[in-house]
Amino acid sequence: ENRFPGRGHGMWPLHFSTSHMNYFRSLQSQNKLDIPSLMLARVSRSIAGGMINVAFPYYILTTLHYGALEMGVIFLCGRIATAVLGFLTGFTADAWGKRNPLVAASLLFPIGAFIVYFSTSLWGVIPAAMIGGFFGAGMMGGGGGGAVQPLQSVVIADLTRRDKRTKFFSIFSFVSGLAAAVGALLTKVMTARDVFLVASIISFIGK
């Protein structure tokens, strides 16, 4: 019988332990990832991140008309939430495989940007910053920021050989930096508010 025995009743039955181990292995085998899909996601997030790097502080100061104090509160909340979400995402990935937690964490950025687009007050921008990981200049310029960053780095390391790992990290950083620069340039052709809608769409496409 597969049940949890109380303390002092010995170990769990072998069948119980083995079946659950096989279940977790089957979940992980279904969560396959590859370098091209990671690169696509990184580039799209970098373009969107480059756009928001430029637009977010400007939007807070000039469109919503908040000052330095409110901006500091927004960035503080965004940074704390990002740290907590990254921590939780790592634990989830260890238990259930890396693909689904990575996709879920990647969705936080477009959701946050979409909320900002419809926000007209501090009470809408703060949750958006916490969800999307918006916490200051340079926060998303490399496309690996937010809760997705630690998990993405682990996945890249898992998918590459040890002697090629540094090269892949360098390629990802270089390409995402260029994409972020393109994103920053794109803000010139749209309003600060529209940036968040476009960034949300771009980052969602590459999730």
Side-chain angles (χ1 to χ4, degrees), residues 108-119 128 134 196-197 199-201:
L108 296 177
F109 183 89
I111 291 173
F114 195 68
I115 293 173
V116 173
Y117 177 73
F118 288 103
S119 297
F134 311 148
F196 295 94
L197 179 61
S200 178
I201 295 171

Side-chain angles (χ1 to χ4, degrees), residues 31-102:
N31 292 329
K32 297 295 185 182
L33 293 162
D34 56 74
I35 291 294
S37 64
L38 287 174
M39 179 62 79
L40 175 62
R42 185 71 169 262
V43 168
S44 67
R45 284 171 59 84
S46 295
I47 294 173
M51 297 170 68
I52 289 181
N53 274 344
V54 175
F56 194 47
Y58 182 82
Y59 185 71
I60 294 171
L61 294 173
T62 64
T63 302
L64 300 182
H65 304 292
Y66 291 116
L69 176 61
E70 291 85 356
M71 185 184 295
V73 171
I74 293 169
F75 288 168
L76 175 64
C77 293
R79 184 174 289 276
I80 292 174
T82 295
V84 173
L85 288 171
F87 182 77
L88 295 176
T89 300
F91 272 96
T92 305
D94 286 340
W96 302 100
K98 297 182 178 65
R99 185 181 184 280
N100 289 336
L102 184 60

Side-chain angles (χ1 to χ4, degrees), residues 80-165:
I80 292 174
T82 295
V84 173
L85 288 171
F87 182 77
L88 295 176
T89 300
F91 272 96
T92 305
D94 286 340
W96 302 100
K98 297 182 178 65
R99 185 181 184 280
N100 289 336
L102 184 60
V103 171
S106 298
L107 286 173
L108 296 177
F109 183 89
I111 291 173
F114 195 68
I115 293 173
V116 173
Y117 177 73
F118 288 103
S119 297
T120 57
S121 71
L122 198 65
W123 305 113
V125 175
I126 288 178
M130 296 174 69
I131 294 171
F134 311 148
F135 52 78
M139 65 223 166
M140 292 294 303
V148 74
Q149 180 176 1
L151 184 53
Q152 188 181 69
S153 298
V154 171
V155 171
I156 294 172
D158 287 345
L159 292 174
T160 54
R161 298 204 323 254
R162 185 174 182 179
D163 59 329
K164 301 290 185 182
R165 197 165 295 154

